[in-house]
Amino acid sequence: MSESRERVVITGMGCVTPLGIGLRDTWDALARGCSGVAPITLFDASTFPVRMAAEVKQWDIEQFGESRAQWERQPRQTQFAVVAADQAARQAGMSLGEGDPIRQGIYLGCGELFPDLREMATAIARATVAGELDFAALNAQLLQHPGELDELSLDPGLTAALIAGRLGLQGPNANFTAACVSSTQAIGEASEVIRRGEADLMLAGGTHSMIHPLGVSTFHLLSTLSTRNDMPTGAARPFDRERDGFVIGEGGAVVVLESLEHARRRGAHVLAELVGFGSTHDAYRITDLESSGRAASRAIRLALEQAAIAPEEIGYINAHGSGTLINDRVETLIVKNTMGSAASRIPISSTKSMTGHLTTACGALELVIAVLALQEQLAPPTINLHTPDPDCDLDYVPLFARPIQARYAMSNNFGFGGQNVSLIVSNGVR
C-alpha cells in the first residue's frame, strides 16, 4: 500500500433489511439462519408466477422520528436509505457542521425507479375516449397531479442529494447504477476519493426496492427468479443442486468511510479498515457471467493487491451467491482460480439465502455483514443448502453459522451487465 495514499476506515454502519431494521436485529437473524422471504404483500401477486419476495416488514418511517407526511411521496427505497444513513452517521458520531463540509460527500448505488403504475394507468384511462388515447388530455392530467409521475422523483440520484442536504455533505456526490454491483462500486469509488486525498469523509452504500409488478415480471421473464411459491423460506438456495433462481429482496445499507487520520483526529471508533478494492468488466453477455470468470477473477486479484495480502490470509468470504444455475458454478470457479489452494479452506456464505437479492443494494449490505462477521468472529450460514451442487464444492457454510478466526474478510459481487467488484476489510486497523 503506497505511503502517499490515505488509509480508509469504516466508522459507522446502518441498514434496513428484510430481517430487521438496524445492525443488531439483522445480525441476530443472520446468525440464527432466519429467512426474510414470505408471500408478497406490497401488491396483489395472486396471478403472478412469482408470489414471494424478501420484503422489509411493517415499514413505517414515522417510527424513526420522521414525518410520514414529509416522506410518503418519496420512493420506498429513498426512505430506506435515509434511515440507514442516519444510523451510520449516529454510530460514527457525526455532528452537523463538524469538519469541512466541502471535504465530506456521498456516493450511493441506488437502482432505477419506476412510476406508480396504478396512478399512470388511471391517468391513461381518464384520457382514453372511445378506445383512443387523447395525449393532450393526458398531458393536462399529468401537469395537474404531480407526484410519482414527476421526473425528479424518478431520478436515482435524488436519494444522495436528499441525504447530503440532511447531513450537510457538500463534497463529492454521485450515484452508480450498475445492477447488482451498484452499491459495491459506490463504496469502492468512495474509498478511492479518500485515498486520493480529495475528501476526509464519505457516506457510501445503496438502496433499492423492486418488489412491484414491473420489477417482479421483468426478472421472471429473464428466468432468474425462483418459483417455489409453496415454500417461500426454502426458495433461496444458493449453491444447492435444486436451486432454481434467486428471490428478489429490498432494503438499504450505508457505511461511513473516513481517512484513518481524520477518524483519529476526531476520536471516532474504527469498526474496520477497507483495505482492498478491485473492479473489472466481463464485456460479455448482459445477464450471464463469462464462463471462464477471467475478468471477475481479475477484480479479486486487484483487491488482494491493493490490500497487500495473500489469498490464504482471507478468513471469510461473503459470496455473491445469487442462486442461479450458471452464476453459482462460475463463482465457484472464480474463487478457485483466485484463491488457489486456500479456496477449499475459506468459509464462504451467501447471505442472499436469508435476505433475498437486494439488487443494487446487495453489495453494501453484504459488506456490512462481512464487517459484522469479523467483529463477531462468526460466519453466517447459507441456509437451504441441503444438497450441494457437485460443481459448487467449496465450503459454503451450509445451514448453520460457524465460529471463525479471521482478520480479513472479502465481499464479492458480480452483476448484470458484466460488472465485477471485490472489497476486502480488516478487523479494525491493521
Side-chain angles (χ1 to χ4, degrees):
M1 193 176 296
S2 172
E3 291 297 325
S4 63
R5 284 164 62 82
E6 298 283 356
R7 294 170 65 180
V8 179
V9 295
I10 299 171
T11 57
M13 304 191 298
C15 61
V16 174
T17 80
L19 296 175
I21 312 299
L23 301 178
R24 192 73 264 161
D25 287 349
T26 297
W27 177 257
D28 288 348
L30 287 166
R32 297 196 310 271
C34 299
S35 172
V37 182
I40 291 172
T41 66
L42 294 178
F43 68 94
D44 182 3
S46 59
T47 61
F48 279 63
V50 175
R51 299 185 291 279
M52 61 188 169
E55 299 177 351
V56 173
K57 314 298 189 292
Q58 300 176 330
W59 174 254
D60 184 354
I61 197 168
E62 198 167 55
Q63 64 185 304
F64 304 102
E66 299 290 340
S67 165
R68 189 182 301 141
Q70 176 187 352
W71 292 101
E72 64 182 354
R73 298 299 293 181
Q74 290 296 338
R76 187 173 169 89
Q77 65 188 44
T78 296
Q79 297 181 35
F80 295 159
V82 165
V83 171
D86 284 355
Q87 291 172 2
R90 281 198 306 273
Q91 187 178 39
M94 288 177 59
S95 299
L96 189 64
E98 177 188 16
D100 184 353
I102 295 295
R103 295 188 57 80
Q104 301 174 2
I106 179 168
Y107 277 12
L108 293 183
C110 299
E112 62 277 29
L113 291 157
F114 294 95
D116 188 316
L117 296 182
R118 293 166 297 182
E119 186 172 332
M120 179 175 285
T122 299
I124 291 172
R126 287 173 178 167
T128 301
V129 180
E132 293 292 327
L133 180 61
D134 184 335
F135 285 97
L138 178 61
N139 287 337
Q141 283 196 59
L142 297 183
L143 289 171
Q144 292 173 11
H145 300 284
E148 294 299 331
L149 300 180
D150 272 351
E151 186 279 332
L152 184 60
S153 71
L154 302 181
D155 179 2
L158 176 65
T159 304
L162 288 171
I163 294 173
R166 286 168 65 87
L167 298 177
L169 310 176
Q170 297 179 351
N173 187 305
N175 186 77
F176 295 86
T177 304
C180 317
V181 307
S182 300
S183 57
T184 329
Q185 188 79 25
I187 292 171
E189 296 293 347
S191 73
E192 288 298 300
V193 170
I194 296 172
R195 290 187 204 284
R196 294 193 298 265
E198 296 171 6
D200 298 320
L201 180 150
M202 295 287 293
L203 267 68
T207 187
H208 211 183
S209 178
M210 291 193 73
I211 307 175
H212 49 67
L214 190 57
V216 173
S217 297
T218 51
F219 275 124
H220 175 68
L221 289 173
L222 290 171
S223 300
T224 59
L225 296 184
S226 172
T227 56
R228 282 190 172 85
N229 297 299
D230 58 337
M231 51 180 303
T233 60
R237 46 200 319 119
F239 306 110
D240 190 89
R241 189 173 62 191
E242 305 301 322
R243 67 192 182 278
D244 69 332
F246 64 81
V247 174
I248 193 168
E250 63 173 0
V254 174
V255 299
V256 176
L257 304 175
E258 299 184 57
S259 71
L260 176 58
E261 179 184 352
H262 184 265
R264 283 175 169 167
R265 192 163 60 239
R266 69 183 193 89
H269 174 65
V270 173
L271 304 175
E273 183 174 357
L274 181 54
V275 295
F277 164 49
S279 176
T280 62
H281 194 274
D282 285 350
Y284 187 60
R285 295 175 183 164
I286 294 298
T287 58
D288 294 328
L289 272 174
E290 192 274 318
S291 60
S292 74
R294 180 172 178 269
S297 296
R298 176 62 176 158
I300 293 175
R301 291 192 181 100
L302 287 170
L304 287 166
E305 288 172 12
Q306 188 179 76
I309 61 173
E312 53 267 25
E313 293 182 78
I314 297 293
Y316 169 68
I317 296 176
N318 191 293
H320 186 65
S322 66
T324 60
L325 186 65
I326 295 174
N327 284 32
D328 287 2
R329 289 178 178 173
V330 176
E331 182 166 9
T332 301
L333 177 64
I334 290 166
V335 174
K336 288 180 176 179
N337 288 343
T338 54
M339 310 308 282
S341 60
S344 61
R345 301 193 298 272
I346 301 173
I348 307 169
S349 56
S350 172
T351 47
K352 288 183 178 71
S353 61
M354 294 173 278
T355 66
H357 192 330
L358 272 60
T359 53
T360 66
C362 72
L365 175 60
E366 287 156 16
L367 180 71
V368 167
I369 293 169
V371 172
L372 292 172
L374 288 178
Q375 291 181 332
E376 302 291 336
Q377 289 294 288
L378 187 75
T382 303
I383 67 169
N384 302 321
L385 180 48
H386 297 284
T387 310
D389 183 332
D391 292 325
C392 301
D393 55 353
L394 296 176
D395 180 6
Y396 288 116
V397 192
L399 306 180
F400 303 104
R402 183 191 309 160
I404 56 175
Q405 291 183 328
R407 186 180 181 191
Y408 296 99
M410 175 185 290
S411 184
N412 297 325
N413 292 108
F414 313 115
F416 278 0
Q419 197 83 357
N420 312 295
V421 181
S422 180
L423 298 173
I424 299 174
V425 287
S426 70
N427 194 8
V429 179
R430 59 179 182 175

